[in-house]
Amino acid sequence: MRTTHDSASVRLYHLSDGPEGGAAQTLLYGALAEALALAAQQPEGIQADLFIATDNDVVAYLDLVDP
């Protein structure tokens, strides 16, 4: 992800693997800090399918957190 800041506007979404090829469910439109906090509250199985989209990039949530 390109350099950004905690208050950058982002979309946090869950990408499911459904029988029809999956669907994206938006969990939050808001600040990056809010998206990271909400993502951290999700179960591990959900975290693996979370993505954060900025104006010009998309990154998997787990790629942003320390292992």
Side-chain angles (χ1 to χ4, degrees):
M1 183 179 332
R2 294 181 174 103
T3 302
T4 190
H5 50 88
D6 287 344
S7 61
S9 294
V10 299
R11 173 186 177 211
L12 172 65
Y13 63 96
H14 176 253
L15 190 59
S16 65
D17 290 324
E20 302 286 325
Q25 177 185 9
T26 299
L27 302 177
L28 174 82
Y29 283 107
L32 177 59
E34 293 175 276
L36 292 173
L38 180 58
Q41 296 172 6
Q42 304 304 308
E44 285 185 28
I46 298 294
Q47 288 181 358
D49 297 323
L50 292 178
F51 294 85
I52 296 177
T54 66
D55 289 341
N56 54 16
D57 225 341
V58 174
V59 66
Y61 166 70
L62 292 180
D63 288 347
L64 294 175
V65 295
D66 293 328

